[in-house]
Amino acid sequence: MCRPTYFDVTYSINVWMDPSRPTSARTGQEQWKGLHDTFSTLGHRVELIEPVPGLPDMVFSANGATVVDGRALVARFRDRQRADESAAYLDWFRAAGWSEVCQAEYVNEGEGDFLFTGTEILAGTGFRSDQRAHDEVRDFFGRPVVSLRLVDPRFYHLDTALSHLGDGEIMYYPGAFSKESRSILSERFPNAILADESDAAVFGLNAVSDGKNVLLPQAATGLAARLRDRGYTPVGADLTELLKAGGSVKCCTLELRE
């Protein structure tokens, strides 16, 4: 995770970002700390990367890399406003002793678009990560990759429209995907939890699951009820200030799979 020390919305690279709308770094930091402390309370170890002045979106650490089997493929961002984040993540992984660290050749926005299910990697494209990055991820990790196309600009990263819950179970918003991708998801995950538009629009799918507890925006009440019905424990989080930049629970969380 990365503290939102420099959080602000001074440019727009997604439909959620409006530089004319007031933001509060203090509120963002308080909400982020609530998420951080919740992870710790649930027994998870949280590593921190230092925020860099001039990189307000660095709080969205999920975009920094994809980490599977002890290997880290660091992001290559589409937008110049975030490009310098890659160097910070490369330095962090190398300083922390990770031996297999590489920066992606093609535009690849980390766990924003690449979600590991335990066996395969679900890969998003359409707005950010390059389609060619899907092959690069498959070759780097030696894992099957399933390509999915996003079509609604509100859900510009895969992790805004789909979340892996554990044991091959997912939840997603069908309206975010192309017809072909909806067919792929329906065939591969016939028992998936389907979110309605109201829960998706508050970033309810931008969630993190440890297989038991699912941390998600507290406004996604419908999804929380469906998760309870499936035996999960939903844990609500308030990250409404960070949503002004187009991110929530998962965006703030890069999973380190050693």
Side-chain angles (χ1 to χ4, degrees):
M1 299 183 76
C2 181
R3 293 183 186 89
T5 305
Y6 306 106
F7 173 70
D8 201 354
V9 178
T10 59
Y11 50 80
S12 179
I13 58 174
N14 65 58
V15 299
W16 299 89
M17 302 178 82
D18 179 358
S20 68
R21 186 181 182 190
T23 56
S24 168
R26 179 176 179 178
T27 300
Q29 290 170 33
E30 290 172 350
Q31 292 179 351
W32 176 91
K33 187 176 187 303
L35 177 63
H36 171 278
D37 292 351
T38 299
F39 280 126
S40 297
T41 299
L42 292 173
H44 300 291
R45 187 180 82 248
V46 181
E47 303 280 355
L48 296 178
I49 183 171
E50 284 299 308
V52 176
L55 298 176
D57 283 344
M58 199 169 163
V59 61
F60 301 129
S61 55
N63 305 144
T66 306
V67 185
V68 178
D69 299 328
R71 312 186 77 199
L73 184 62
V74 172
R76 184 175 296 278
F77 290 91
R78 182 198 68 172
D79 297 294
R80 59 176 178 77
Q81 293 92 338
R82 299 197 68 181
D84 290 343
E85 293 180 35
S86 298
Y89 283 96
L90 285 167
D91 290 345
W92 187 91
F93 279 105
R94 288 166 178 163
W98 292 70
S99 59
E100 295 186 79
V101 181
C102 179
Q103 184 180 9
E105 177 181 357
Y106 300 106
V107 172
N108 170 331
E109 301 208 347
E111 280 198 328
D113 274 328
F114 296 92
L115 299 177
F116 183 52
T117 68
T119 55
E120 62 189 7
I121 297 171
L122 304 180
T125 191
F127 295 103
R128 293 295 181 88
S129 296
D130 193 307
Q131 179 73 49
R132 292 171 295 180
H134 295 193
D135 291 334
E136 185 180 10
V137 165
R138 182 199 62 213
D139 294 343
F140 184 80
F141 292 112
R143 295 276 191 169
V145 169
V146 179
S147 294
L148 302 167
R149 180 163 293 276
L150 298 160
V151 296
D152 186 328
R154 294 175 298 172
F155 310 106
Y156 58 94
H157 275 149
L158 183 63
D159 71 350
T160 67
L162 183 152
S163 178
H164 175 244
L165 299 171
D167 294 328
E169 190 167 31
I170 68 169
M171 56 182 183
Y172 69 98
Y173 171 53
F177 296 91
S178 68
K179 181 179 179 180
E180 180 182 18
S181 295
R182 289 197 301 271
S183 296
I184 291 170
L185 289 169
S186 143
E187 181 178 347
R188 299 180 86 89
F189 304 99
N191 298 316
I193 295 174
L194 302 183
D196 58 29
E197 185 174 8
S198 61
D199 281 337
V202 295
F203 264 35
L205 293 159
N206 196 239
V208 175
S209 172
D210 61 14
K212 175 184 177 183
N213 305 289
V214 181
L215 284 75
L216 76 166
Q218 63 186 20
T221 54
L223 268 180
R226 292 184 179 95
L227 287 164
R228 287 191 196 94
D229 290 342
R230 292 289 182 96
Y232 295 98
T233 301
V235 181
D238 180 9
L239 290 171
T240 49
E241 193 66 22
L242 298 182
L243 184 55
K244 293 176 182 178
S248 193
V249 175
K250 176 55 188 172
C251 288
C252 292
T253 314
L254 172 59
E255 298 178 59
L256 304 176
R257 302 175 182 87
E258 299 177 341

